[in-house]
Amino acid sequence: MRRICERLFVPVVHGAFGEEGMAALREVLEFLPQHYALASPELINGTLWVMRSLRPEGLANAVSGAARIEHRIDRLPRRVENVTVLELLDTGAFRVWEGAAVDVAAASAVAIVYRFTPGHEDFIVRDKPHAVVNPAPEHISVFARPTFASLRDALEDYRNRSIRASTCYIFRDAWEDSARLFFKPAPEWRMRRSLQQYLTNRIRGVDVLAEQAVDESHPVDITVTWTFTRAEALIEIKWLGKSRCDGRIVAHSDQRARDGAAQLADYLDKHHTTKPGVDAKGYLVVIDGRRKGLAADAIRASTKNGMHYANSEIEFRPKYHDERVDFEVPIRMFAEPVCTPEEDAA
Amino acid sequence: MAESKRSCATVVGESYQAAYDVLWITRRLESVIDGVTTAEVHLLAYVACLLTIYRRLPATDWGYGFIRSQWGAPFSAAIDGALNGLLGSGFLVSRREVVITSSSGRQFVEFLAGVAEHEWRTQFLDGACSSVLAMPIGSVRDALHQEPSMRRSRVHKQPRTLLGTSEDALYQQFGSLSDVIGLGVADLMIPSVVWLTYLSEMQRLDLERVADETNALDEADRSA
């Protein structure tokens, strides 16, 4: 706990500025989700600073450039290309600098200072940065909180944000090579953990658990239970493509997705028997890392081969999602490789 | 306001404290996280109750108890009764999957906050709700899987009463917390966030351990 206290911005702000600092920190923390709801941090290409001064004279000595006052949060700049500073004022208004120069040491000595740059956010306290830990880094800020009412919507967002470009650091670690051609052996648990982490932070009022038994001998990859309701989702994850370890290749084709669908249908039948009072629904997630013409010793792929399966949907036989009301349409998530332009030219 | 108080007596029965807690939590967070789910109200009321231990008060003084429900989340019958009563009487309004306060609910919670019977609770409710300013509510929920009382009761299939008599591990954690940040901290956001971050790290380590074990088993299966 001592280690946490030394690096976590909340106790650090308290240690530096006391109760007055905590009051100012709360103002910043309440402002950020409201601001990001109107101005997505995805539109920040430069640096956004949000500051709350602890001194009546404000930040005049710490920030230079032309400033203006805005009285409404929806009038604040939405895009940040260079350096934008937003100062929260006593009146509830905002002082805005665009293209400002910031003396970080001076600002962080007299104000609560939050900084966002793409891929990183922190609080700077007395010139020392304290990173904000982001449990779901595929979402750009801890304080921008998109949440989903529907699991289907959340899975589609996960596909687009986390898997397509392997931006989730847990999932990224499932690849054997930097070109994302081969998975490591047994990449399943990283995929489970990645999805579990994502769903935990993006759906309200649910518990997301990995490897839950549907009966004595069958664990489903992930269960999502909506607290205090009878609704439950069983998620089965299957991966397609090749894994490689010391030259040994394990390959999974689209048949594995069909097998997964049959397996999930079987889990659902068992689940209805063992938990008759629960409204269970099955979701098959297919993580697709297939590349065309991939030799065992490949280290690169052309765009044509690497992206060959990008839009290649799987033909399910039977189509459980048409035949059963408890079976959602399977979601295929194509994970793109890093393609090599020279290969295209060749 | 006397009329409001009579209304509340009708709708919440014995659970004035739970009614106050539900209204306060909802009011505090509705603009920050766009309303609260009923599960989140139970969760944050439980965190608030736990924070009394940090102040060296017995958790039994909280006024109502919690169980670990079959969903693995904390649940209070008093909170449940208060939620239903407040929704039925229009102090709370249901909006899709979340609840928000109505204007009468906002007036009523302001009135209740000034009553000594409830006033002492506010610091604990604020400490719990403020943790959601600093970390996503999903992380708070996830972290609580490691809370000693919840953890101990998860081996039982049936719902179990939380915060019983033998909570040595919990008292030990709060003892360490007091050692690190002191007991005189007025703002309970600090111990709340530090402790939940600590539980969150324990949860991450626990999941990684399970993943490693699963991976080792998978490897052994393949080798065989």
Side-chain angles (χ1 to χ4, degrees), chain B residues 12 17-18 29 32 37 40 51 90 140 163-164 174 177 181 199:
Chain B
V12 300
Q17 290 165 321
L29 291 180
V32 178
T37 67
E40 288 162 0
L51 286 173
V140 174
L163 304 176
F174 277 98
L177 193 58
I181 58 177
L199 295 182

Side-chain angles (χ1 to χ4, degrees), chain A residues 12-289:
Chain A
V12 169
V13 164
H14 181 256
F17 301 118
E19 300 301 331
E20 191 193 3
M22 288 301 294
L25 175 64
R26 281 163 187 268
E27 286 184 49
V28 173
L29 293 175
E30 286 183 31
F31 165 77
L32 289 171
Q34 293 176 48
H35 176 58
Y36 284 153
L38 297 166
S40 168
E42 289 175 358
L43 298 176
I44 300 174
N45 295 318
T47 304
L48 172 70
W49 298 86
V50 176
M51 303 185 189
R52 179 71 176 103
S53 177
L54 303 167
R55 300 274 171 81
E57 65 269 25
L59 295 163
N61 296 328
V63 184
S64 52
R68 68 178 192 275
I69 301 291
E70 292 287 359
H71 293 276
R72 287 171 42 180
I73 193 168
D74 60 353
R75 298 291 301 273
L76 297 175
R78 295 189 178 204
R79 288 185 176 274
V80 175
E81 295 298 336
N82 188 1
V83 175
T84 295
V85 180
L86 306 176
E87 183 188 1
L88 313 187
L89 301 172
D90 288 342
T91 57
F94 311 92
R95 185 175 287 124
V96 182
W97 287 265
E98 290 186 86
V102 177
D103 180 342
V104 183
S108 64
V110 297
I112 301 301
V113 175
Y114 162 85
R115 172 174 62 185
F116 178 96
T117 52
H120 188 75
E121 57 190 333
D122 53 13
F123 282 85
I124 299 167
V125 184
R126 296 204 190 283
D127 209 19
K128 194 172 170 193
H130 294 268
V132 177
V133 178
N134 187 348
E138 65 282 350
H139 276 280
I140 196 162
S141 165
V142 166
F143 307 108
R145 296 170 175 171
T147 55
F148 300 94
S150 125
L151 176 56
R152 178 89 201 175
D153 290 348
L155 288 171
E156 286 174 0
D157 188 70
Y158 174 72
R159 174 188 63 196
N160 299 338
R161 286 179 187 274
S162 299
I163 299 298
R164 190 180 60 78
S166 298
T167 45
C168 168
Y169 68 94
I170 302 170
F171 176 69
R172 193 186 307 145
D173 204 32
W175 293 107
E176 188 246 12
D177 58 321
S178 58
R180 305 199 292 258
L181 303 178
F182 295 91
F183 288 116
K184 286 177 180 166
E188 296 86 349
W189 71 268
R190 287 187 172 85
M191 295 171 180
R192 271 198 298 273
R193 180 73 188 114
S194 164
L195 181 55
Q196 182 189 14
Q197 177 96 318
Y198 175 89
L199 294 177
T200 295
N201 287 291
R202 295 301 159 201
I203 311 183
R204 304 277 296 270
V206 296
D207 248 310
V208 185
L209 299 171
E211 293 265 279
Q212 295 295 297
V214 286
D215 64 11
E216 286 80 0
S217 55
H218 297 91
V220 70
D221 283 323
I222 289 175
T223 59
V224 179
T225 53
W226 279 260
T227 313
F228 312 144
T229 75
R230 301 190 315 163
E232 194 167 316
L234 309 185
I235 303 177
E236 185 62 23
I237 305 172
K238 292 291 175 211
W239 62 272
L240 311 183
K242 293 178 177 176
S243 73
R244 181 168 68 179
C245 179
D246 299 329
R248 197 179 63 171
I249 304 291
V250 174
H252 290 306
S253 67
D254 51 358
Q255 181 55 40
R256 185 168 164 84
R258 286 189 278 273
D259 293 343
Q263 188 183 351
L264 181 58
D266 183 46
Y267 283 171
L268 285 164
D269 291 339
K270 289 188 167 73
H271 194 271
H272 294 319
T273 308
T274 52
K275 287 187 175 176
V278 172
D279 296 330
K281 194 157 198 179
Y283 292 76
L284 178 66
V285 168
V286 179
I287 295 183
D288 191 347

Side-chain angles (χ1 to χ4, degrees), chain A residues 1 3-5 7-8 14 19 26 29-30 135 145 186 189 192-193 200-201 204-207 228-229, chain B residues 28 33 35 40 42 71 75 126 130 132-133 138-139 141 145 180-181 187 190 201 207 211 214-215 222:
Chain A
M1 283 203 212
R3 195 171 45 81
I4 291 170
C5 269
R7 62 179 165 77
L8 191 65
H14 181 256
E19 300 301 331
R26 281 163 187 268
L29 293 175
E30 286 183 31
R145 296 170 175 171
W189 71 268
R192 271 198 298 273
R193 180 73 188 114
T200 295
N201 287 291
R204 304 277 296 270
V206 296
D207 248 310
F228 312 144
T229 75
Chain B
R28 179 72 184 86
I33 55 171
E40 288 162 0
H42 287 266
W71 295 275
F75 173 86
D126 186 53
S130 297
V132 178
L133 297 178
S139 297
R141 192 178 55 233
H145 288 300
V180 173
I181 58 177
D187 189 338
I190 300 153
E201 293 206 357
L207 290 169
T214 310
N215 201 25
R222 260 187 299 278

Side-chain angles (χ1 to χ4, degrees), chain B residues 44-222:
Chain B
L44 292 167
Y46 184 59
V47 174
C49 173
L50 287 166
L51 286 173
T52 60
I53 299 173
Y54 170 76
R55 284 276 192 252
R56 306 265 163 99
L57 296 171
T60 45
D61 283 2
W62 191 244
Y64 55 87
F66 294 85
I67 59 167
R68 181 185 184 276
S69 67
Q70 57 180 302
W71 295 275
F75 173 86
S76 164
I79 291 281
D80 190 49
L83 271 163
N84 290 331
L86 293 165
L87 279 164
S89 59
F91 288 113
L92 290 179
V93 180
S94 186
R95 199 180 64 186
R96 297 178 67 187
E97 80 275 22
V98 298
V99 292
I100 55 172
T101 53
S102 63
S103 61
S104 63
R106 289 191 284 278
Q107 281 176 8
F108 192 49
V109 73
E110 275 172 34
F111 163 75
L112 290 176
V115 178
E117 185 190 348
H118 307 297
E119 198 178 9
W120 70 274
R121 310 170 72 79
T122 306
Q123 61 169 318
F124 301 105
L125 296 168
D126 186 53
C129 292
S130 297
S131 63
V132 178
L133 297 178
M135 58 201 290
I137 191 146
S139 297
V140 174
R141 192 178 55 233
D142 204 34
L144 275 189
H145 288 300
Q146 291 292 330
E147 185 274 306
S149 190
M150 291 271 287
R151 201 178 149 86
R152 206 156 42 83
S153 59
R154 78 179 175 195
V155 295
H156 302 280
K157 268 191 168 176
Q158 297 304 316
R160 301 283 293 185
T161 302
L162 295 169
L163 304 176
T165 48
S166 53
E167 298 295 350
D168 292 349
L170 187 60
Y171 281 88
Q172 210 170 5
Q173 284 181 4
F174 277 98
S176 305
L177 193 58
S178 309
D179 290 346
V180 173
I181 58 177
L183 264 177
V185 176
D187 189 338
L188 288 175
M189 177 183 184
I190 300 153
S192 177
V193 172
V194 171
W195 180 61
L196 288 166
T197 304
Y198 168 75
L199 295 182
S200 195
E201 293 206 357
M202 283 173 62
Q203 174 73 349
R204 182 180 58 79
L205 293 172
D206 203 27
L207 290 169
E208 281 177 8
R209 182 185 54 75
V210 171
D212 285 346
E213 285 171 7
T214 310
N215 201 25
L217 285 173
D218 288 349
E219 282 290 323
D221 280 352
R222 260 187 299 278

